[in-house]
Amino acid sequence: MARAAGVSPATVSRALSGGPVSAELRKKVEKAVKAIGYRPNLSARRLRSQNTKTIGLVVADIRNPFFTAVSRVVEDMAYAQGMRVVLCNTDENPEREAFYLRSMQEERVTGLILAPTETTLHKLEKDPLLEVPVVMVDRYLASSRYDAVALDNVQAARVLVEHLIASGKKRIAGLFGNSSRTGQERYQGYAEAVTKAGLPVLGQFIRPYTSDAESALRQLWASEKPDAIIASNSLTAGGILRAVKALKLRIPEDLAVAAFDNEPWASLVEPGLTVIAQPVDDIGHAAMQLLSDRIQNPGLQPRTVMLGGELIVRGSSATG
Amino acid sequence: MARAAGVSPATVSRALSGGPVSAELRKKVEKAVKAIGYRPNLSARRLRSQNTKTIGLVVADIRNPFFTAVSRVVEDMAYAQGMRVVLCNTDENPEREAFYLRSMQEERVTGLILAPTETTLHKLEKDPLLEVPVVMVDRYLASSRYDAVALDNVQAARVLVEHLIASGKKRIAGLFGNSSRTGQERYQGYAEAVTKAGLPVLGQFIRPYTSDAESALRQLWASEKPDAIIASNSLTAGGILRAVKALKLRIPEDLAVAAFDNEPWASLVEPGLTVIAQPVDDIGHAAMQLLSDRIQNPGLQPRTVMLGGELIVRGSSATG
DNA sequence: TTGTACGCGTTATCAG
DNA sequence: CTGATAACGCGTACAA
């Protein structure tokens, strides 16, 4: 490139990065850029500057609408700051997580946004093998060494259950994801609420897939005969509705249903699905904000941003 | 690292990449790796090897379930080949597309998977400023210079419309995305089918957002009084169902509805949404396969993989 | 203002 | 089998 423009490499570098260059030479460089279709080499630039301007986004599965929404916000904010986003799906598999975290280290990412499994969450807390800025999303430990942003799951689950109790439900079941802290916290809020009301605890942990939720509900219906059920996420909710349809149960008369995540279809299914809406945009925004802050100032005390959910009542939980 | 292990850089490189090294020195290197938590620097590796092992994925919006599904498959296959995926959302905005394509060039991506707007699609065909392997996804031009994989949109739309005609519908409307070739093709298949049956063409192009679809249907219902409508994608379908609900129309008696994309909720809404299911996994798989082939052999003739959709009939289009 | 020289961390080539 | 050396493309201190 330098010789294509007939100037020194240094001049090219300066011209392209707005350094002090005479108008004449600047023209020469710009002309050469167009002539040969020159594009600066980011690998070289990163190696030299020791700044990759890359953020790693490691989530369980981008098809989970929650992560989809978060990733979109993260990508928007990243590119607004001239950063790129590398996407990783771990399928809640600690081995894949370990692999990706190693990769992100080799990538020398500027920062990392991570929704870890319970396993990895504890491992990272014990020995902090990541020396890059990290923000946990959706899952976190109290008084962690890492920044985190998440829904107040315990509180949100409690609100959801109390709503069902207020609707007169007496046998409230719950299906919770078995691999993430999120599921545990929502279970906790659920269990506290039903216990406090003197109702039985009918919660169980399942893999967060539609089919697992479907069969779990069938079993539950054949044994415990709940009159209401809450789902820890939208995939599980889908499975429940599928089973409800197959069993020809009426909602909410036979079974009230409520869930987490206000998917677009929540208002389209009959009679409308009651949900806790997560502020996904705010969560993504907070994650990037925490990350930017920490990148600028690594010495910061770890911060946890806890956001509230919004209860949206629809027909699926209407007073019986 | 080299001096931490007490050997030469070359030996470190060989040891880590399985080259010919004595067992003794290999131990030394491995020990040093653990001791200092060494991770190879990918920027340096890429600069030196001129191989970034990175694929760029440029789509309109990762929140569109079609792209979500494709991206998941792409990411899976990429990492199975030791490649990373950089994600870009263009919002169907040609300027953002241009920006990202430039970025991907600077990134020296090994390959590019791209769902371009109509604008960019034509521009790239005219002057091929991308000299990396490119696979178009979801949108493409006939006899293009690029590889492509997509649904046979004309055919699929025709099938969908013919199904509605067979159900006795006489005034079939259609809402199609206004920014992508996909919308145009589906319109074409729609128009052909209704014309052939001697029915009026009530199709229109809208921005592919839920709210636009909602107001479009309200207007349509107030003027053309269709007895059926098809939606070019799942967001548009959602808007239609929302408006239908607000207008208290009965499906399918007042208005039959059919759409593209078999989202999980399609079977959950009453009375079930008739759709053309896109083979999203196959599409993602084919895209990566085409890309791998072209990376291995850049001289290949451009290929277009056209996949068929599957008509899934549900209650929303039941014979009136 | 401009050019020269060096180094970022790696791999490939070439001697030894 | 191993080490010195060069080069990938860029940015920057330093000299001119």
Side-chain angles (χ1 to χ4, degrees), chain A residues 39 42 46 61 72 75 79 84-85 87 89 91 100 106-108 242 245 264-265 267 270, chain B residues 39 42 46 61 72 75 79 84-85 87 89 91 100 106-108 242 245 264-265 267 270:
Chain A
R39 297 281 161 241
L42 283 184
R46 296 204 256 248
D61 187 348
R72 184 59 162 87
E75 201 266 354
Y79 273 83
R84 289 131 201 95
V85 176
L87 174 67
N89 295 291
D91 278 332
Y100 283 126
E106 299 182 354
E107 200 83 50
R108 301 292 191 271
R242 187 145 303 174
K245 214 160 188 176
W265 53 265
S267 63
E270 283 304 328
Chain B
R39 297 279 161 242
L42 283 184
R46 296 204 257 247
D61 187 348
R72 184 58 162 90
E75 200 266 352
Y79 273 83
R84 289 132 202 91
V85 175
L87 175 66
N89 295 290
D91 279 333
Y100 283 125
E106 298 183 355
E107 198 84 50
R108 301 292 192 272
R242 186 145 304 174
K245 213 160 187 174
W265 52 264
S267 63
E270 283 305 329

Side-chain angles (χ1 to χ4, degrees), chain B residues 22-305:
Chain B
S22 71
E24 184 193 13
L25 286 194
R26 188 177 297 276
K27 289 285 175 214
K28 265 175 105 172
V29 170
E30 285 168 1
K31 193 164 294 181
V33 164
K34 286 192 181 172
I36 67 174
Y38 169 81
R39 297 279 161 242
N41 183 319
L42 283 184
S43 293
R45 195 170 268 189
R46 296 204 257 247
L47 173 60
R48 174 62 228 222
S49 69
Q50 302 290 71
N51 179 359
T52 61
K53 289 178 183 287
T54 298
I55 85 125
L57 179 60
V58 183
V59 299
D61 187 348
I62 188 69
R63 288 171 300 192
N64 179 328
F66 172 78
F67 291 125
T68 313
V70 169
S71 79
R72 184 58 162 90
V73 178
V74 167
E75 200 266 352
D76 268 6
M77 293 181 70
Y79 273 83
Q81 302 172 33
M83 303 227 172
R84 289 132 202 91
V85 175
V86 177
L87 175 66
C88 311
N89 295 290
T90 67
D91 279 333
E92 310 276 11
N93 177 345
E95 288 172 23
R96 283 189 71 154
E97 269 178 332
F99 170 78
Y100 283 125
L101 292 182
R102 190 161 45 243
S103 296
M104 293 304 101
Q105 299 266 103
E106 298 183 355
E107 198 84 50
R108 301 292 192 272
V109 289
T110 311
L112 202 49
I113 295 181
L114 179 60
T117 58
E118 186 70 0
T119 307
T120 299
L121 188 56
H122 281 103
K123 194 166 75 180
L124 289 179
E125 203 65 49
K126 226 178 84 190
D127 42 79
L129 51 88
L130 298 176
E131 54 234 358
V132 285
V134 178
V135 174
M136 302 290 180
V137 151
D138 188 50
R139 300 111 188 248
Y140 68 99
L141 292 176
S143 59
S144 163
R145 68 194 335 144
Y146 301 106
D147 292 319
V149 50
L151 192 73
D152 186 342
N153 288 303
V154 178
Q155 169 66 7
R158 202 183 288 134
V159 166
L160 200 52
V161 172
E162 284 170 355
H163 162 68
L164 291 170
I165 293 173
S167 297
K169 299 305 175 185
K170 301 292 183 195
R171 298 184 58 75
I172 302 171
L175 297 180
F176 304 91
N178 66 354
S179 55
S180 72
R181 174 141 283 251
T182 301
Q184 296 180 19
E185 290 177 350
R186 293 178 184 173
Y187 174 84
Q188 185 190 331
Y190 155 81
E192 285 177 19
V194 291
T195 302
K196 185 178 163 200
L199 302 179
V201 177
L202 302 174
Q204 59 186 251
F205 292 94
I206 63 171
R207 291 183 307 173
Y209 300 125
T210 301
S211 53
D212 290 68
E214 197 171 339
S215 54
L217 177 58
R218 285 171 178 278
Q219 287 191 358
L220 218 43
W221 185 252
S223 53
E224 301 287 358
K225 281 277 179 193
D227 59 4
I229 187 164
I230 73 173
S232 173
N233 64 61
S234 56
L235 274 73
T236 303
I240 289 176
L241 293 183
R242 186 145 304 174
V244 161
K245 213 160 187 174
L247 294 169
K248 297 192 192 306
L249 305 183
R250 291 165 306 162
I251 297 177
E253 292 83 359
D254 298 329
L255 185 70
V257 180
F260 279 79
D261 292 336
N262 186 31
E263 293 313 305
W265 52 264
S267 63
L268 295 177
V269 298
E270 283 305 329
L273 181 62
T274 293
V275 297
I276 295 284
Q278 293 201 62
V280 286
D281 287 358
D282 295 345
I283 290 175
H285 188 92
M288 273 302 285
Q289 192 60 56
L290 286 175
L291 193 55
S292 301
D293 289 354
R294 179 155 303 279
I295 289 167
Q296 282 194 345
N297 186 350
L300 245 41
Q301 285 298 312
R303 291 179 292 173
T304 295
V305 173

Side-chain angles (χ1 to χ4, degrees), chain A residues 100-241:
Chain A
Y100 283 126
L101 292 183
R102 190 163 44 245
S103 296
M104 294 303 102
Q105 299 267 104
E106 299 182 354
E107 200 83 50
R108 301 292 191 271
V109 290
T110 311
L112 202 48
I113 296 181
L114 179 59
T117 58
E118 186 70 358
T119 307
T120 299
L121 188 57
H122 280 104
K123 194 166 75 179
L124 289 178
E125 202 66 49
K126 228 178 85 187
D127 43 78
L129 50 88
L130 298 176
E131 54 234 358
V132 286
V134 177
V135 174
M136 301 290 179
V137 155
D138 187 52
R139 299 111 189 248
Y140 68 99
L141 291 175
S143 59
S144 164
R145 67 192 338 142
Y146 301 106
D147 292 320
V149 49
L151 191 75
D152 187 341
N153 288 302
V154 177
Q155 169 67 6
R158 202 183 288 134
V159 166
L160 200 52
V161 172
E162 284 170 354
H163 162 68
L164 291 170
I165 293 173
S167 297
K169 300 303 174 186
K170 300 294 183 194
R171 299 183 59 74
I172 303 170
L175 297 180
F176 304 91
N178 66 354
S179 55
S180 72
R181 173 141 285 252
T182 301
Q184 297 179 18
E185 290 177 350
R186 292 177 185 174
Y187 174 85
Q188 185 190 331
Y190 154 82
E192 284 177 18
V194 291
T195 302
K196 185 177 161 199
L199 301 179
V201 177
L202 302 174
Q204 58 185 250
F205 293 94
I206 62 171
R207 291 184 306 175
Y209 302 124
T210 302
S211 54
D212 289 70
E214 198 171 338
S215 55
L217 178 57
R218 285 171 179 277
Q219 287 192 358
L220 218 44
W221 185 253
S223 54
E224 302 286 359
K225 283 277 179 193
D227 59 4
I229 187 164
I230 73 173
S232 173
N233 64 61
S234 57
L235 274 74
T236 303
I240 289 176
L241 294 182

